[in-house]
Amino acid sequence: MSNQLLLGPILGLESDTLYTTLVVTDDTVSSVLLEIHQDTLSFELVGTLHVGRVWRVEFDPHLEPNSSVNYRILIENEFATSKSGDSQWSFHVPAQTETPKLAYASCNGFSDFKLMTSTERPYALWQAMSEQHDEAPFSLLLMGGDQIYADSIWTMVPSLKQWNELPREKKIKAKASKQMKAQIRRFYSELYLDRWNKPDVAKMLASIPSIMMWDDHDIFDGWGSYPEDIQTCEVYSAIFAEAKNHFDLLQLRSANKNSTLLRNASANANQAKVSHFGAVVQFKNYQILVLDNRSERTLNRVMSEEHWQDVIHFLDNCTTGDLLVMTGVPVVYRDFSFAERAVDATPWEEEVTDDLKDHWRAKEHEGERSRLIMRLLANAKRRQGKTVLLSGDVHVGALGIIRDESQSDITRIHQVISSGIVHPSPTFMQWLGICALTNDDDEYLDGAKHIVARMIKPTGGDKYIRTRNFTTLKMGTDHKIWVNWIIEGKDKPVYAID
């Protein structure tokens, strides 16, 4: 038995007063304790990975707000150390009247080996977040997808590498053997431990409570946007099951114990039918709606009707505060319809269809996108608060807005895009190609042209921030949410949401 943690601690937020901590230990450990503010609390064993046991504890800091909370972890009554050698950690609890400082990040990894090896300082933005945290602490870290990049599964898992060489008809009929499932399980376990134990990442995950939602790379590139026969085959199902198990345990910190899940907030929730991890968290003046746009995704839908009913129930009952909506892929972004039509007309459609069908503006998803926008506009009019969409995925930073001018009081929804904190942005030539096949013309969302969506330029930066970035959000004394993109480079993009 060792008193070194295999992973963690990882802080989570359930509400203004309820926090969680998660750790992974080796299989020999039978007791884990949290020491915090003269209290000692027992961790609960919530699951296992290929590499060890997953433990979780809930706690109320019981401190005066606006405090720095120190905590330590004990394994079999000995103080535990992290992979980085730390044995004590701390986090910030904001005062009741304090406007908390939030961070939003996405795309924490690399989609291929070449990008990884050619990036000189992979975790420079995590270091920048740490510096910001030391100057003025963050109260919450929102992570909007691709917290890991699992695309190497096709080369790192021997049985999948062999399967991938089969003709398509044999792939679809192939069984997922016990050996394959074991190799997949090992892959995800080792991937999380490798990526999240990077010192700069680990420090922030242990120092800022987080709320996470997955996107495709947490499973593998393009999940949910493949043809039905391959998407539902036994091998893909085996991969998804293991990716889901690791997401459940490590990013949600055990869904069966997570009181923030949206299904618990819906009067129509049927536990037997629930197949999504949508969540809602109330934190200070913020209502945070976390949309799961991967668990139920197909070529023809983003969310199931049951999921939609949970979202609608929440929005119908959300009447106060400012609303932050986490949706991995941007709702307001460039229009890919020209590229989509061109691909649909070619015999090589399937080779790139997952990239195009992932977007909310893909023709199959336009109806759901409109449904989401109209529901959010209706909620914003009733609630009389700010509404901000937080998204990543596209490897650039950007800003969009939806304006409803159908009444004298204009209703606005802002779209903040931040991507990626580790993944590099498109090269100049890649970006030229994207711009050639897409446009960012104003988009009218109703026949009378009263509702318009458009991309807008932040102050002090380019319209599209083509460098790695994360964002900070904080309410100013002017009652505006100030959004700052922290980037590699000398620009300091900023925007005030009123």
Side-chain angles (χ1 to χ4, degrees):
M1 185 198 72
S2 170
N3 70 332
Q4 185 179 71
L5 300 170
L6 298 183
L7 181 64
I10 302 168
L11 285 173
L13 181 77
E14 301 289 313
S15 71
D16 280 344
T17 58
L18 188 62
Y19 293 75
T20 62
T21 302
L22 180 136
V23 298
V24 180
T25 69
D26 67 40
D27 286 328
T28 63
V29 172
S30 60
S31 172
V32 184
L33 301 175
L34 174 72
E35 183 181 273
I36 182 169
H37 189 51
Q38 300 179 341
D39 289 336
T40 302
L41 305 173
S42 295
F43 279 77
E44 178 183 1
L45 180 64
V46 293
T48 61
L49 306 177
H50 170 79
V51 294
R53 296 178 175 179
V54 184
W55 305 81
R56 178 187 191 269
V57 63
E58 290 185 355
F59 60 93
D60 182 334
H62 294 303
L63 285 180
E64 288 297 321
N66 199 23
S67 300
S68 179
V69 181
N70 298 318
Y71 69 100
R72 295 192 290 184
I73 293 166
L74 295 91
I75 294 177
E76 312 293 2
N77 295 316
E78 292 186 13
F79 288 115
T81 59
S82 69
K83 286 287 188 179
S84 302
D86 299 317
S87 58
Q88 180 169 302
W89 304 269
S90 65
F91 64 96
H92 177 70
V93 177
Q96 188 62 37
T97 57
E98 180 183 347
T99 56
K101 181 181 174 185
L102 280 56
Y104 178 84
S106 68
C107 301
N108 178 45
F110 299 94
S111 55
D112 65 54
F113 183 74
K114 183 179 179 181
L115 279 176
M116 181 186 299
T117 55
S118 62
T119 302
E120 290 187 12
R121 298 179 61 211
Y123 303 100
L125 271 297
W126 283 106
Q127 294 172 16
M129 184 184 292
S130 179
E131 292 168 2
Q132 288 248 338
H133 185 63
D134 290 341
E135 292 175 6
F138 291 101
S139 298
L140 179 61
L141 170 60
L142 302 172
M143 298 197 72
D146 301 338
Q147 277 67 257
I148 61 166
Y149 273 70
D151 306 327
S152 60
I153 193 170
W154 303 112
T155 56
M156 297 295 291
V157 176
S159 56
L160 288 181
K161 188 175 180 180
Q162 294 172 5
W163 175 84
N164 220 13
E165 294 173 355
L166 296 174
R168 182 185 181 87
E169 61 273 14
K170 289 187 177 181
K171 283 184 180 181
I172 293 168
K173 296 177 181 178
K175 301 295 182 182
S177 67
K178 288 184 179 180
Q179 180 190 44
M180 178 184 284
K181 291 178 181 179
Q183 290 176 354
I184 293 169
R185 186 169 190 252
R186 178 173 183 169
F187 168 80
Y188 280 106
S189 294
E190 292 180 346
L191 183 65
Y192 271 93
L193 264 62
D194 178 67
R195 299 298 187 263
W196 285 12
N197 270 320
K198 302 302 182 187
D200 299 304
V201 179
K203 180 182 177 182
M204 291 296 92
L205 294 183
S207 304
I208 310 173
S210 60
I211 297 172
M212 303 184 190
M213 178 49 67
W214 63 352
D215 202 18
D216 59 335
H217 292 280
D218 297 292
I219 308 162
F220 60 77
D221 184 25
W223 176 264
S225 296
Y226 289 96
E228 183 179 3
D229 59 351
I230 195 76
Q231 184 79 40
T232 59
C233 77
E234 188 169 317
V235 171
Y236 267 39
S237 297
I239 296 172
F240 178 75
E242 206 53 68
K244 179 180 177 181
N245 180 53
H246 282 74
F247 168 71
D248 178 331
L249 288 174
L250 300 178
Q251 297 200 36
L252 296 184
R253 294 170 292 277
S254 181
N256 64 330
K257 304 293 182 184
N258 195 317
S259 61
T260 68
L261 291 179
L262 190 59
R263 66 193 185 203
N264 296 327
S266 172
N268 300 317
N270 183 332
Q271 297 296 324
K273 293 184 178 180
V274 168
S275 57
H276 69 83
F277 293 107
V280 56
V281 182
Q282 183 174 349
F283 181 62
K284 302 304 176 186
N285 189 54
Y286 293 112
Q287 303 277 354
I288 305 171
L289 173 60
V290 188
L291 299 179
D292 179 358
N293 293 159
R294 285 297 160 184
S295 292
E296 304 166 316
R297 193 183 194 97
T298 71
L299 276 174
N300 297 309
R301 76 175 187 195
V302 178
M303 300 186 294
S304 69
E305 185 57 33
E306 289 81 10
H307 194 165
W308 272 107
Q309 291 306 312
D310 290 342
V311 171
I312 291 168
H313 176 83
F314 165 74
L315 291 176
D316 286 347
N317 290 277
C318 177
T319 58
T320 60
D322 295 321
L323 177 62
L324 305 180
V325 183
M326 292 173 62
T327 172
V329 178
V331 175
V332 183
Y333 190 55
R334 298 185 66 87
D335 180 9
F336 283 74
S337 60
F338 172 78
E340 187 180 12
R341 288 194 301 271
V343 169
D344 285 347
T346 69
W348 40 272
E349 173 188 356
E350 283 186 11
E351 299 301 319
V352 295
T353 189
D354 60 297
D355 293 321
L356 295 174
K357 303 304 183 183
D358 256 9
H359 287 276
W360 272 105
R361 294 187 71 173
K363 63 179 183 294
E364 292 87 355
H365 303 321
E366 284 181 336
E368 280 187 88
R369 175 176 179 262
S370 178
R371 186 181 190 182
L372 177 62
I373 289 171
M374 297 308 170
R375 285 286 180 176
L376 291 175
L377 285 171
N379 171 267
K381 291 174 184 177
R382 292 194 308 271
R383 183 171 37 83
Q384 294 294 298
K386 302 172 187 63
T387 302
V388 184
L389 296 162
L390 298 172
S391 303
D393 183 75
V394 291
H395 303 154
V396 298
L399 179 67
I401 190 170
I402 301 168
R403 290 170 55 94
D404 183 350
E405 302 176 359
S406 59
Q407 299 177 1
S408 56
D409 291 334
I410 297 173
T411 303
R412 301 176 183 85
I413 295 174
H414 288 83
Q415 166 80 77
V416 173
I417 303 171
S418 179
S419 173
I421 192 168
V422 169
H423 197 288
S425 294
T427 66
F428 179 69
M429 292 304 294
Q430 288 170 336
W431 185 246
L432 284 181
I434 291 171
C435 291
L437 292 172
T438 65
N439 70 77
D440 60 3
D441 299 340
D442 286 0
E443 177 193 11
Y444 293 99
L445 301 172
D446 66 328
K449 294 189 176 182
H450 290 149
I451 305 175
V452 62
R454 61 170 60 104
M455 303 303 295
I456 57 178
K457 181 178 176 294
T459 303
D462 295 330
K463 189 174 184 180
Y464 294 98
I465 303 165
R466 201 175 54 78
T467 184
R468 297 191 301 176
N469 65 91
F470 70 91
T471 57
T472 69
L473 299 93
K474 185 173 174 61
M475 184 78 72
T477 55
D478 53 4
H479 302 293
K480 297 178 181 179
I481 298 177
W482 285 84
V483 182
N484 290 269
W485 284 262
I486 311 302
I487 74 169
E488 285 186 307
K490 56 188 177 181
D491 287 350
K492 295 184 178 180
V494 61
Y495 188 82
I497 297 176
D498 57 15

